[in-house]
Amino acid sequence: ESYTKAELVMTKFDDYLRGWNGKHFDKAIIKSVPEASTARQMLESGEVDILDDLPMEMIKALEKNPNIEIVRTPSFQNLLGFFNTKKAPFDNKLVRQAISYAFPYDDVIKYIWKGNATQSKGTIPKGLWGHCEDIFQYTHNIEKARELLTKAGYPNGGFKLTLTYNSGDEHERKTAELFKAELAKLKIDLDIRGMPWDPQWALARATNPEDRQDVFVMYWWPDYPDPLSWLLSMFHSEDEIVFNLGNYYNKEVDNLIDEASQIAGIDRDKATRLYCDAQRILADNAVTLFVWDQMYLRIKRVSLKGYNDNPAYPHVVFFYDLYREK
């Protein structure tokens, strides 16, 4: 019916083929509320029925409210931190491996997500075909990181890195702060910059690799639930950068992705093996930080009924199925 930057108003389509008998809403309003504390107040007062996300400490507090329900659903969404492989020091595989060992995976899962996420194994999330349990997984190991930096020619660190994340995302911001503290132990200075999507994406696609950020933190979820959504989009060679934001080009990886995509419909087992082989190369080359596979936590009022999360349709509310009980 109407749309502004602040809200989207949708009204029922009278001729919808499933009809409107039952407890359906006639109107649904999606609002953009940047301040988490404001969104929480709106939920608790009954002004809104459901929230997409909140900081974990707020979610924990809301669990004590008898009028609020937390819906937990395993998801196909994960977080990655792309290294700029065309710019020093990340043009050096040993440095990328070292920084992968410096990342505090367990602390992020424990303290930021309160256990509502798991460390990623490869880029395909658990629960989706193409996920591989035997993929090598970096762990937090500062001494191993220091050893690799020494081999790479940086025994005393001494360099600065720039990391960008989506401004307003508290999970990403807090994760970056923990990461900064660990890199400081290696005498590496991490400059953290919260930016809106468009300017940080433009920065990653700058013509000169020297102008790009060193680490680009972003989420990925499927445009369709298939490994190709991750591997083709983010790790296949591109003539012009779209989502290969690490600027990583590997012909062997390209060939594995191409062959797997061609046979996926007739031989899924072989396609899975090929996709796993591609992920093994990506892990060995430390192309990106494979950070977490996320669990969705939707915060809603108990009175809102009919809500179901579908990991194949992330961040989608099927309003037709919803109704309210007093």
Side-chain angles (χ1 to χ4, degrees), residues 235-286:
F235 300 106
H236 196 286
S237 300
E238 294 180 322
D239 293 330
E240 180 180 350
I241 299 170
V242 181
F243 286 116
N244 184 344
L245 298 171
N247 307 286
Y248 176 75
Y249 303 104
N250 184 312
K251 193 62 179 176
E252 184 179 2
V253 170
D254 291 348
N255 291 339
L256 288 166
I257 295 171
D258 292 341
E259 183 180 355
S261 67
Q262 291 168 8
I263 65 169
I266 56 176
D267 192 343
R268 179 165 289 187
D269 288 342
K270 183 176 180 181
T272 295
R273 291 195 297 272
L274 294 169
Y275 281 138
C276 287
D277 287 344
Q279 292 177 81
R280 289 187 184 94
I281 295 171
L282 295 174
D284 177 64
N285 282 274

Side-chain angles (χ1 to χ4, degrees), residues 13-303:
F13 175 57
D14 289 331
D15 296 327
Y16 180 49
L17 59 88
R18 292 172 63 187
W20 292 97
N21 294 325
K23 304 175 183 179
H24 303 286
F25 288 107
D26 291 338
K27 179 183 291 187
I29 303 173
I30 302 174
K31 294 187 176 183
S32 174
V33 184
E35 290 295 328
S37 58
T38 303
R40 174 184 174 177
Q41 291 170 4
M42 293 170 71
L43 180 74
E44 290 186 289
S45 69
E47 186 177 347
V48 300
D49 295 284
I50 186 170
L51 300 178
D52 181 67
D53 193 21
L54 278 179
M56 283 303 308
E57 58 270 18
M58 289 189 183
I59 293 177
K60 295 294 288 185
L62 286 170
E63 287 179 331
K64 301 174 184 177
N65 187 327
N67 297 314
I68 305 300
E69 177 185 4
I70 312 301
V71 180
R72 289 176 166 84
T73 311
S75 82
F76 293 155
Q77 179 169 330
N78 47 22
L79 188 81
L80 304 100
F82 289 93
F83 297 140
N84 182 357
T85 61
K86 299 299 182 187
K87 174 184 176 183
F90 284 139
D91 56 350
N92 187 323
K93 170 182 170 179
L94 293 174
V95 174
R96 299 196 300 269
Q97 291 176 332
I99 301 306
S100 296
Y101 277 114
F103 191 86
Y105 304 95
D106 290 345
D107 284 351
V108 167
I109 299 302
K110 182 177 180 180
Y111 297 114
I112 295 178
W113 277 102
K114 310 297 184 185
N116 291 289
T118 56
Q119 183 184 343
S120 299
K121 284 189 175 181
T123 191
I124 306 303
K126 189 171 184 177
L128 184 68
W129 78 272
H131 172 80
C132 313
E133 277 296 314
D134 62 349
I135 292 291
F136 175 76
Q137 192 176 44
Y138 291 89
T139 56
H140 179 239
N141 188 331
I142 287 293
E143 290 309 312
K144 181 68 173 178
R146 186 174 286 113
E147 174 188 326
L148 287 165
L149 284 173
T150 299
K151 288 183 180 179
Y154 299 94
N156 299 307
F159 54 84
K160 184 175 181 177
L161 299 173
T162 300
L163 178 150
T164 65
Y165 72 95
N166 190 31
S167 56
D169 190 304
E170 284 297 288
H171 302 308
E172 292 182 351
R173 183 188 66 79
K174 292 176 180 178
T175 295
E177 292 290 349
L178 289 179
F179 191 25
K180 179 183 180 72
E182 294 306 307
L183 290 178
K185 297 175 183 178
L186 299 169
K187 295 184 173 62
I188 298 170
D189 181 18
L190 183 66
D191 178 21
I192 301 169
R193 300 179 187 176
M195 300 175 65
W197 169 260
D198 284 344
Q200 69 167 328
W201 188 41
L203 191 65
R205 303 172 73 208
T207 303
N208 185 353
E210 295 297 318
D211 295 334
R212 302 167 189 161
Q213 64 271 73
D214 300 291
V215 187
F216 187 126
V217 175
M218 76 169 203
Y219 294 102
W220 192 264
W221 57 81
D223 40 13
Y224 48 94
D226 186 288
L228 196 64
S229 176
W230 281 260
L231 289 162
L232 178 65
S233 300
M234 295 186 288
F235 300 106
H236 196 286
S237 300
E238 294 180 322
D239 293 330
E240 180 180 350
I241 299 170
V242 181
F243 286 116
N244 184 344
L245 298 171
N247 307 286
Y248 176 75
Y249 303 104
N250 184 312
K251 193 62 179 176
E252 184 179 2
V253 170
D254 291 348
N255 291 339
L256 288 166
I257 295 171
D258 292 341
E259 183 180 355
S261 67
Q262 291 168 8
I263 65 169
I266 56 176
D267 192 343
R268 179 165 289 187
D269 288 342
K270 183 176 180 181
T272 295
R273 291 195 297 272
L274 294 169
Y275 281 138
C276 287
D277 287 344
Q279 292 177 81
R280 289 187 184 94
I281 295 171
L282 295 174
D284 177 64
N285 282 274
V287 178
T288 182
L289 290 168
F290 299 106
V291 186
W292 69 61
D293 292 352
Q294 185 173 331
M295 177 173 283
Y296 287 141
L297 290 88
R298 313 301 190 195
I299 311 97
K300 74 177 189 68
R301 294 190 64 80
V302 171
S303 57

